[in-house]
């Protein structure tokens, strides 16, 4: 089951051609998981019971983690032509050690409705709306296992038989752990343009973006086989994706009420 609490406050103010929208808030989320499972071998389907009770295994598990966030946002608009937005987050996850638990995640964006400028008036019958956009932002990813700090002995059964004729248990080498596992961070840079033509009947949107995933959780460099176990998982990886998206739409309504709507899009990306 999950429990969450959130609260925020918002302040909106206009001063002539200047519009401000300020919001601050916080959120706390608790995630709980409980369960049990069991394994039985040598099952007697006729009696519906295990042949050998010693070969039955049962286990119960419970996990719990908490995410606490504080955030703020500032929106500014001037004459409905120029737009600025700034966001800041402070996230803390119980999945990470105390010195790496908290991290800042900012983001910024800007926009310019250039069709509101006087020099665009001569073609307003053709170009109804046009806006340039740019943004950069980072977010944190804490979707990692709760057991990454836990060194475990992988168990199983050998092919050797004991005195009672049962297979003997075996255990591997303890797994290695990295004590400094922290947030994975995703940063996105985006440039875009929105265009509407012929009284907003036809629209085109284009975006170019670059997405960098930093501090990805991946296995470390290979270690000698004589160690008997694999390298620990840590924030060793990075990934960059570049791409673009182009979409177009058309809508028209006839005098008899019949409407036509169509949309098409194409995109490409390289990682």
């Amino acid at each position: 089951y999950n429990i969450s609490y959130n609260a925020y406050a918002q302040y909106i103010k206009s001063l002539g051609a200047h519009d401000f929208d300020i919001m601050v808030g916080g959120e706390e989320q608790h995630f709980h998981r409980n369960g049990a499972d069991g394994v039985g071998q040598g099952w007697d389907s006729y009696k519906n019971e295990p042949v050998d009770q010693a070969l039955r295994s049962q286990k119960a598990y419970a996990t719990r983690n908490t995410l606490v966030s504080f955030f703020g946002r500032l929106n500014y608009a001037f004459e409905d032509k120029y737009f600025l937005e700034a966001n800041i987050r402070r996230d803390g996850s119980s999945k990470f050690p105390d010195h790496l638990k908290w991290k800042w995640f900012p983001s910024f964006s800007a926009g310019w409705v250039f069709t509101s400028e006087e020099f665009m008036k001569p073609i307003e019958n053709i170009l109804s709306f046009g806006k340039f956009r740019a943004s950069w932002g980072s977010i944190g990813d804490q979707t990692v296992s709760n057991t990454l700090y836990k060194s475990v002995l992988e168990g199983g059964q050998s092919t050797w038989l004991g005195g009672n004729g049962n297979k003997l248990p075996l255990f591997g080498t303890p797994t290695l752990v990295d004590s400094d596992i922290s947030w994975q961070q995703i940063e996105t840079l985006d440039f875009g343009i929105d265009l509407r033509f012929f009284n907003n009947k036809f629209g085109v949107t284009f975006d170019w973006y670059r997405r960098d995933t930093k501090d990805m959780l991946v296995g470390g460099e290979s270690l000698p086989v004589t160690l008997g176990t694999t390298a620990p998982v840590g924030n060793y990886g990075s990934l960059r994706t570049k791409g673009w998206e182009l979409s177009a739409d058309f809508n028209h309504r006839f005098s008899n009420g019949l409407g036509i709507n169509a949309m098409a899009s194409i995109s490409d990306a390289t990682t």
Side-chain angles (χ1 to χ4, degrees):
Y1 61 95
N2 301 327
I3 302 175
S4 63
Y5 310 94
N6 61 77
Y8 71 93
Q10 188 174 20
Y11 176 74
I12 299 175
K13 181 70 175 179
S14 294
L15 299 173
H18 306 273
D19 297 314
F20 299 89
D21 185 346
I22 303 172
M23 187 266 290
V24 294
E27 184 177 24
E28 183 174 339
Q29 302 177 69
H30 299 270
F31 306 91
H32 300 262
R33 294 289 183 272
N34 302 285
D37 57 42
V39 177
Q41 293 178 308
W43 197 266
D44 189 328
S45 59
Y46 179 75
K47 296 182 179 180
N48 196 29
E49 63 181 20
V51 175
D52 188 344
Q53 295 285 345
L55 294 179
R56 297 183 66 186
S57 65
Q58 295 179 340
K59 64 179 180 179
Y61 60 88
T63 62
R64 181 179 65 182
N65 59 278
T66 301
L67 176 65
V68 179
S69 304
F70 301 98
F71 49 85
R73 184 191 69 202
L74 170 63
N75 281 331
Y76 168 73
F78 177 67
E79 294 184 340
D80 286 331
K81 293 191 294 186
Y82 313 105
F83 302 88
L84 295 173
E85 180 176 307
N87 295 272
I88 188 69
R89 292 184 63 90
R90 178 71 167 169
D91 292 327
S93 173
S94 63
K95 292 186 175 182
F96 307 124
D98 290 341
H99 66 293
L100 298 171
K101 190 184 301 291
W102 292 92
K103 198 163 188 178
W104 293 100
F105 299 105
S107 62
F108 308 92
S109 64
W112 174 35
V113 182
F114 59 88
T115 46
S116 295
E117 303 290 352
E118 286 297 324
F119 62 80
M120 297 297 295
K121 297 300 182 182
I123 62 171
E124 63 181 359
N125 290 333
I126 300 174
L127 182 60
S128 310
F129 176 84
K131 181 180 181 180
F132 288 116
R133 298 175 282 103
S135 64
W136 175 90
S138 65
I139 59 174
D141 181 5
Q142 58 107 38
T143 55
V144 301
S145 171
N146 283 346
T147 61
L148 288 180
Y149 298 102
K150 184 179 179 181
S151 181
V152 297
L153 291 169
E154 293 293 341
Q157 287 185 329
S158 72
T159 57
W160 292 85
L161 300 179
N164 58 358
N166 295 328
K167 294 181 179 179
L168 296 174
L170 61 83
F171 296 94
T173 306
T175 55
L176 299 178
V177 297
D178 185 333
S179 60
D180 290 326
I181 293 175
S182 184
W183 290 87
Q184 301 178 107
Q185 184 167 319
I186 303 172
E187 297 181 358
T188 303
L189 175 67
D190 183 276
F191 296 99
I193 184 171
D194 302 318
L195 302 173
R196 306 293 306 180
F197 299 91
F198 311 117
N199 197 26
N200 294 319
K201 289 186 177 181
F202 178 66
V204 176
T205 297
F206 178 80
D207 279 275
W208 176 92
Y209 64 89
R210 185 187 71 201
R211 183 177 298 112
D212 291 310
T213 304
K214 301 180 177 180
D215 300 324
M216 290 177 61
L217 285 172
V218 297
E221 295 184 3
S222 298
L223 298 174
V225 177
T226 53
L227 179 63
T229 189
T230 58
V233 173
N235 299 99
Y236 310 134
S238 62
L239 183 71
R240 167 168 288 186
T241 300
K242 292 183 179 180
W244 56 268
E245 300 176 356
L246 175 65
S247 63
D249 66 87
F250 175 78
N251 62 83
H252 177 73
R253 185 164 295 279
F254 297 95
S255 58
N256 61 4
L258 178 65
I260 297 177
N261 296 277
M263 178 178 290
S265 63
I266 184 174
S267 63
D268 188 31
T270 302
T271 299

